[in-house]
Amino acid sequence: MSRSFVAIALFSFMALAQAATLVKDNVDVVITVRITTPNAQTTWVVGTVQEVEWNIPAISFDPSTTAKIVLGYVDNNSENLCLDSPLATNVPVNAGKAMITVPNVKDGDKYIVDFFGDSGDKSDQFTITGGNSDSRC
């Protein structure tokens, strides 16, 4: 087996590992998105309605494909996702945005939003203020 074949196979595998795996009719659909909002300059206030935006993939896929959007945070260089309380579910991927209500969480500046089901489609770290909770989820 040639080195170039191995390199191409490895690159292809890594690219898929960074793609969102969404489920449609019990079949995995691989879609890559990039969350554009929130970003590093964003501050959300608890209780307000905010928009999560992403680039719509430039591929053909079933327009009824949906995703889950979850809040998370970074602590000690580890990402922690709030899987028990998603910000939005059944969000059409081709919508490019979703409106969410910021949950009552502890104030902090290392929050992220993740297009659930993937290993690389998360937002930049951003800030949430106005919370009176001791929990980050």
Side-chain angles (χ1 to χ4, degrees):
M1 188 174 334
S2 73
R3 285 185 175 175
S4 60
F5 175 78
V6 172
I8 290 170
L10 182 58
F11 177 77
S12 297
F13 175 76
M14 290 171 31
L16 284 175
Q18 292 297 312
T21 302
L22 309 173
V23 177
K24 172 66 177 146
D25 296 330
N26 295 322
V27 176
D28 288 345
V29 179
V30 178
I31 297 174
T32 301
V33 301
R34 171 70 181 123
I35 296 176
T36 57
T37 304
N39 57 47
Q41 291 76 42
T42 300
T43 298
W44 285 355
V45 177
V46 166
T48 61
V49 175
Q50 300 292 331
E51 191 170 72
V52 176
E53 294 182 280
W54 58 91
N55 290 335
I56 300 171
I59 62 168
S60 177
F61 62 93
D62 183 341
S64 65
T65 301
T66 61
K68 182 188 316 187
I69 299 172
V70 297
L71 183 67
Y73 60 93
V74 177
D75 187 32
N76 293 324
N77 294 320
S78 177
E79 293 178 9
N80 303 274
L81 299 178
C82 306
L83 299 176
D84 293 336
S85 52
L87 296 173
T89 59
N90 298 318
V91 176
V93 173
N94 65 352
K97 64 182 175 181
M99 303 303 289
I100 61 94
T101 300
V102 181
N104 185 19
V105 293
K106 183 178 181 177
D107 288 1
D109 62 357
K110 293 188 177 187
Y111 283 97
I112 56 173
V113 169
D114 197 308
F115 210 75
F116 185 74
D118 64 276
S119 61
D121 301 326
K122 67 181 183 324
S123 70
D124 296 335
Q125 292 180 28
F126 65 97
T127 301
I128 296 180
T129 64
N132 61 5
S133 175
D134 290 334
S135 175
R136 298 202 76 174
C137 283

